[in-house]
Amino acid sequence: MSLHERLTVVDGLQISNWNRSVLEELRTGGVSAVNATCAVWENAADTLRSVGQWLELANRNQDLVFLAANGEDIDKAKRQNRIAVFLGFQNTSPFEDDYRNVELFHRLGIRIAQLTYNNQNLLGSGCFESDDAGLTRYGRVVVEEMNRVGMLIDLSHVGYRTSREAIEASSVPVSITHSNPLWFYDTPRNKPHEVIQPLVERGGVIGCCLYPTVSGGEQVTLESFCSMVSRMVDLYGPASVGIGSDCTRGWDQEFVGWLRNGRWQPTHPEDAPTWPLWPNWFSGPLDFPRLTEGLSSTGLTDDTIGAVMGGNWSRLFTEVMDTTKEHAHV
């Protein structure tokens, strides 16, 4: 049995167009759990439809997948050769302006939510805003409520100041599910040391991201990416680093326009965005074994590779999502 087959692999985020064939790619690639985006720009009503579609998909493919509630479900999925799906938001637009929607959606199965998606919203600033005013009053209420119900906070598309203030405001560790360090690739979507350091000091995890616009495009090599992951382990410790592929399987070109622009700005046909090209060594979940091999080539120990490929997410999900235990303030 290879090292990859022995590992419990957890993908910090995918935003694929889910069906059985896409799910089978995960299982073939050895992925036992995934944070699956089911809302970005949607309001509460539209998100209910998205959650309902996931319930239908899971019910029709019970041999392959189930909707997860806590970190223990990751081990269950590995044992059963199934996929534990943690439903997540990449924006807090489904909460609208009512903090009670946090618990409502948690009861419907949502376990992870990113505070902002690139833009300013009711909670704080996104990473592409020129002026980051920080976490809002409402944002602090939502952070407290997410802590209470056991919903993991994600800061991947969040502005730097808003990220730091959310880390400080949270009583439990938080995550960056799919971003890289700014020194690896310079884009506002990636994070500086001043955000990563306080996150990991409080027990959080950053998922190094394979999406081309934050990793260097189709030209980035396996060796370069895995060297970056290895350096992150050296800088922040083996318990602080994971993987968040940001895979986008099964979508047409029209969806990337929705993803970038939502309803807040028009998508003009002459400059409509298109999906970026992925490197030839990673185009989707089937290529996760290559990533394990690449990390082995950097000299990381098998235990550290196991932590990066899934163990750290398992620990964080268990700590944050299990609200039966008293959370200590960090």
Side-chain angles (χ1 to χ4, degrees):
M1 183 181 292
S2 69
L3 171 60
H4 187 77
E5 290 171 324
R6 297 197 305 272
L7 298 179
T8 300
V9 178
V10 181
D11 193 342
L13 184 129
Q14 292 190 23
I15 186 171
S16 295
N17 186 12
W18 299 97
N19 55 36
R20 185 173 179 90
S21 64
V22 174
L23 290 167
E24 286 173 339
E25 288 184 6
L26 267 72
R27 184 159 70 178
T28 303
V31 179
S32 294
V34 62
N35 166 21
T37 298
C38 65
V40 180
W41 301 111
E42 289 87 346
N43 59 20
D46 290 340
T47 304
L48 289 175
R49 185 176 302 110
S50 179
V51 173
Q53 289 169 341
W54 257 110
L55 291 171
E56 181 181 39
L57 182 63
N59 287 335
R60 291 182 175 180
N61 297 277
Q62 294 183 39
D63 63 311
L64 183 59
V65 65
F66 65 93
L67 298 184
N70 52 53
E72 294 177 358
D73 282 335
I74 298 173
D75 291 335
K76 173 184 172 183
K78 178 67 173 179
R79 292 193 306 271
Q80 297 179 351
N81 194 29
R82 293 200 291 166
I83 302 155
V85 170
F86 292 84
L87 293 182
F89 297 160
Q90 280 207 63
N91 200 353
T92 45
S93 57
F95 299 154
E96 299 183 353
D97 60 354
D98 190 341
Y99 78 95
R100 292 168 294 190
N101 282 336
V102 176
E103 181 173 350
L104 187 153
F105 278 109
H106 182 269
R107 291 190 178 212
L108 293 176
I110 305 304
R111 289 297 180 268
I112 303 167
Q114 189 172 264
L115 298 187
T116 70
Y117 189 81
N118 296 341
N119 292 352
Q120 177 76 31
N121 67 13
L122 295 174
L123 276 70
S125 292
C127 60
F128 286 106
E129 295 289 355
S130 58
D131 183 16
D132 185 346
L135 198 64
T136 65
R137 291 183 300 156
Y138 179 55
R140 294 180 184 278
V141 172
V142 170
V143 164
E144 183 176 0
E145 193 69 358
M146 290 177 69
N147 290 168
R148 183 182 70 83
V149 303
M151 189 181 293
L152 178 65
I153 292 167
D154 182 5
L155 303 175
S156 300
H157 287 248
V158 179
Y160 299 160
R161 176 181 170 186
T162 299
S163 293
R164 291 194 302 268
E165 292 184 0
I167 294 165
E168 294 169 1
S170 179
S171 61
V172 298
V174 304
S175 66
I176 298 170
T177 63
H178 59 295
S179 291
N180 292 316
L182 199 58
W183 53 259
F184 181 67
Y185 191 74
D186 191 354
T187 172
R189 267 273 285 106
N190 286 335
K191 297 293 186 277
H193 175 76
E194 292 74 21
V195 170
I196 301 172
Q197 183 64 39
L199 179 133
V200 301
E201 284 179 349
R202 290 169 171 253
V205 174
I206 176 169
C208 296
C209 185
L210 292 146
Y211 193 71
T213 61
V214 297
S215 66
E218 62 175 323
Q219 300 87 1
V220 68
T221 64
L222 175 63
E223 294 74 20
S224 174
F225 184 85
C226 290
S227 293
M228 178 269 290
V229 175
S230 178
R231 183 179 172 193
M232 290 289 283
V233 169
D234 289 341
L235 289 171
Y236 299 112
S240 302
V241 182
I243 299 294
S245 73
D246 206 3
C247 279
T248 56
R249 302 294 289 165
W251 292 114
D252 57 22
Q253 292 293 344
E254 187 176 347
F255 183 76
V256 71
W258 158 256
L259 198 58
R260 300 272 178 87
N261 299 326
R263 290 180 287 255
W264 66 274
Q265 76 170 358
T267 299
H268 299 292
E270 63 272 15
D271 58 1
T274 58
W275 291 113
L277 295 174
W278 289 68
N280 59 13
W281 54 270
F282 195 97
S283 59
L286 292 172
D287 293 322
F288 266 94
R290 290 186 178 183
L291 191 55
T292 298
E293 292 173 7
L295 293 175
S296 293
S297 297
T298 68
L300 293 175
T301 67
D302 288 358
D303 285 347
T304 296
I305 293 170
V308 170
M309 292 295 289
N312 292 333
W313 287 133
S314 295
R315 185 266 306 168
L316 182 64
F317 289 9
T318 300
E319 181 174 356
V320 172
M321 296 175 191
D322 182 3
T323 57
T324 62
K325 299 173 183 176
E326 186 71 23
H327 286 312
H329 285 257
V330 289

